[in-house]
Structure formats: structure tokens, C-alpha cells
Amino acid sequence: MTTRPRTARRLAVTCVALAAFATGPAAAPTATAAPGGLAARDFPGSRDAPAVRTLPATLPDGVTDAALVRVAGRGMRTPYTGTAGPVEADARFPVGSVTKVFTDALVLQLVAEHRIGIDEPVRRHLSELIPAAYADVTVRQLLDHTSDLPRPVRVPLDPHGVVAASFAADAAAGPGRTPAPGTVQQYNGLNSFVAGLLVEQVTGRPFVRELDRRILRPLDLRRTALSEDPSTAWAWSEGGLTSTAADLDAFLRALLDGRLLPPAQQRHLFEVPAVPGAAENTGCPTPAACFSAGGLMGIELNGTKVWGKTGSSGGWTSGVFASTEQHRRTAYTLRPGTPATPAQQRARVEAVVKAALTDQSRAGRH
């Protein structure tokens, strides 16, 4: 099921966009009041420590009410963990669409086991759920968001119910619509619902059990689990996880180090389809596609290639990221202030990730 890396690979993860799908109110991370500014443990020997600390040290402000930032990687004897506002360093928080990366890793493990093919039609396994019009949609297209599936109906149903209701609503809104999979990238949470159901169908076991035995237990992610809060639990394989910054960092490190996927499948983490992005695509900073066949976004910050995923749920915006050049990883959660605009929130996420993962000396040259 897992393969140890043959060599240490120079891989990465970040993104700078808020997730499109906020899954409703959820319990806030365990919080304690902070007097203002960042409560941080320094990481000795890191020349980038000031850049990482400068921005969070100004929080909370009108854009961000609370922040938790963790940075780890090369040049750091210990990880840096800092907080601002009412949130603790070991807080558990809803990670929203970061859940998609866990789900995609499960699917790619099944590809590695030859139980499904990445270019195999999904309908072969879910014929009673996927309409005939979508018979050509492949597993790869679910993962890289080029499936042209309808948008999810945001109703608190079981996963089968969410998918069925979404197809029904699409048929009613556009009767006779001809899907065009593989032609454009549209970030879409329904892909992840279908991917979770595919895991269940192929393994014959509940998604939550496969998640536990394939990822959570092997990596000792004891504080990561699907939410039990009804307002977020229905997001399931699309956005239902809760976790901590330390657990998210451990997952990211294992994913990039090759502990979850063999090389043949790990390369899919960085394969972005050569298609345009939809005009309303969430997160991609250019008109081109940016999501890979492993659910990660690939972009450049300060001339550094970074990959990763954000998520938004329960009033918190979270993310996991890594940098190829700086060999750094970060995990964070931010609580937006009121009345912070989406553009301000997006800029704040980008500023945090830049400070954590990129060479600040390049900022003026790119």
C-alpha cells in the first residue's frame, strides 16, 4: 500500500486562494485570549525567521482576527509555531477543502494497486449513480477537475444523496446538456464526493475506514478525523476533515516524501492538464489550469514554484503548502475579520505563504 522513497525528492506544496466551498458553521479551534501580536517559538539558525514573524506579529487586525502558522523544513532545528488572537498552537480546526488532497491520495493508492485505472471511466464502478451522459469521465478528470460534472447541491444529505441531487438539479436546469470532459478545468467539489464513493465501491469498505487504515493510522495523525458536527460532517470526502497544524504538516511531508504513493503515482501530484481554466475557476491566478491530478495547485510566488491546497470551513481559512526551492512546508489557519473582503483575505493568505516559504529577496525582482 505504501512505498518508501528511493531518493529524497525536491517537491512542494502551496496555494494562495481561498477554497470555493465553505461548509458552514463549525466548532472553533480551542482558543485562549492573546493580548495581541504573535506568540511564537523561535526556530534557531533560520535566516528567514524575521520574514516569517513580521506579518503575524501585527495580528489581529481588521482583516484577520486570529492566526495559527506552522513552518518546518530545511535549516530549522525545530518547527516554528506562532499564534495571534484567540487560537492555541495545538488547536484543532476544520480544514475544509484541504480534505480533497487526502481523498485524492486514497484514489491514487488504489491506482497504484491496479484496482482502478487513472484513465478508466468512473461510470464502470458507479453505473447506478453516474448518468450515461457522463460515461466518458475518467478518474484522472475527477482528480484534476476537468470532469465537467455539475456543481454540488449544498444540502445536508448523505454522500449518495448529494451526488444524486446534484445530477438531478443539473438535468432540470439544462436538459439535454452535453458534457465535455477534459476540455476545461473547473474546480468542483462534486468531483471529491464521487471520488469518495469510488473508494467505497472499489474497496467494499466505508471511506472513513479506508482513510483511517491507509493514512491516519500509518502516519499517526491522531487528531485528524472526519467532523462529527452535522453542519460540516456532510461535506465528507470533499471538505469534512478537522485537523491540527502539526498533523497537516506530517501529512504533507509524508505525501511529498513518497511514503503514501509510489513514484509512478506520485508524479500525478504535479501533472497539470494543458487546458484553460474556467472563467469562474476558484484560486488559479492565471487563465490556465493550475490544479494537478493529485488535487494540488501549482503556482509561482516570488519566482519560487509552490504547490498546495487551501480550504475554508466553519469561519476558518486553512492551508498546507511546501516550496521546492526553500525546502519548507507550512500549515496555517486564519479567521477572517469583519468586514474583510475576499480580496483582502486572499492577499493575507498570499502574504503568509510568501513569508513562510519564499525567498523574500526576490520579491522586487519578479
Side-chain angles (χ1 to χ4, degrees):
M1 183 271 295
T2 59
T3 300
R4 302 293 296 185
R6 296 178 182 176
T7 60
R9 298 187 65 182
R10 301 176 64 179
L11 303 176
V13 176
T14 103
C15 68
V16 297
L18 304 180
F21 184 21
T23 54
T30 303
T32 55
L38 190 69
R41 296 193 297 273
D42 193 10
F43 41 94
S46 170
R47 61 183 176 83
D48 291 330
V52 177
R53 289 198 305 264
T54 297
L55 176 63
T58 67
L59 305 179
D61 62 9
V63 176
T64 303
D65 286 346
L68 163 59
V69 181
R70 177 187 172 94
V71 185
R74 178 179 291 183
M76 299 170 59
R77 291 199 292 269
T78 59
Y80 161 90
T81 303
T83 64
V87 62
E88 293 184 347
D90 62 350
R92 228 177 144 209
F93 49 88
V95 304
S97 289
V98 177
T99 304
K100 292 178 173 66
V101 184
F102 288 75
T103 299
D104 290 359
L106 292 179
V107 173
L108 289 175
Q109 286 183 351
L110 296 176
V111 172
E113 295 165 11
H114 305 289
R115 301 176 74 174
I116 53 176
I118 195 165
D119 293 310
E120 180 181 15
V122 177
R123 196 168 187 268
R124 289 182 183 174
H125 299 279
L126 298 171
S127 59
E128 295 183 359
L129 188 64
I130 306 298
Y134 294 87
D136 293 334
V137 173
T138 67
V139 173
R140 183 193 300 272
Q141 290 164 350
L142 287 182
L143 304 183
D144 68 16
H145 297 282
T146 61
S147 65
D148 200 26
L149 294 185
R151 295 299 190 92
V153 175
R154 302 181 183 187
V155 289
L157 300 173
D158 65 274
H160 282 86
V162 169
V163 174
S166 300
F167 280 118
D170 180 61
R177 184 177 83 91
T178 302
T183 61
V184 66
Q185 185 173 81
Q186 173 58 69
Y187 180 74
N188 182 359
L190 196 67
N191 291 313
S192 298
F193 276 106
V194 174
L197 292 172
L198 183 64
V199 169
E200 292 195 333
Q201 181 66 26
V202 171
T203 65
R205 289 182 285 269
F207 174 82
V208 65
R209 181 175 173 186
E210 289 299 286
L211 177 67
D212 184 60
R213 80 180 190 91
R214 290 173 174 270
I215 295 179
L216 303 187
R217 276 192 286 136
L219 299 183
D220 197 28
L221 305 183
R222 299 184 181 185
R223 302 192 66 202
T224 301
L226 286 175
S227 174
E228 296 181 356
D229 187 320
S231 64
T232 54
W234 76 275
W236 197 54
S237 62
E238 190 275 343
L241 279 180
T242 60
S243 190
T244 65
D247 271 14
L248 289 179
D249 178 57
F251 168 72
L252 176 60
R253 182 176 184 178
L255 184 67
L256 301 182
D257 282 352
R259 291 170 57 195
L260 294 175
L261 299 170
Q265 283 67 51
Q266 191 172 21
R267 64 184 173 85
H268 297 314
L269 296 175
F270 310 99
E271 292 176 344
V272 176
V275 299
E280 68 275 22
N281 215 17
T282 299
C284 296
T286 69
C290 70
F291 287 94
S292 75
L296 303 179
M297 293 174 64
I299 61 172
E300 284 196 3
L301 292 177
N302 290 350
T304 298
K305 185 70 174 183
V306 294
W307 296 84
K309 190 71 188 74
T310 56
S312 185
S313 180
W316 294 82
T317 296
S318 309
V320 288
F321 311 94
S323 156
T324 52
E325 294 187 19
Q326 301 300 317
H327 302 280
R328 288 281 176 85
R329 305 178 309 276
T330 188
Y332 72 83
T333 191
L334 307 174
R335 189 176 70 189
T338 303
T341 67
Q344 288 175 317
Q345 296 173 40
R346 188 175 296 111
R348 176 55 48 79
V349 169
E350 182 172 346
V352 169
V353 174
K354 281 182 176 179
L357 298 182
T358 72
D359 183 351
Q360 299 297 298
S361 67
R362 294 188 176 194
R365 303 199 301 268
H366 294 272

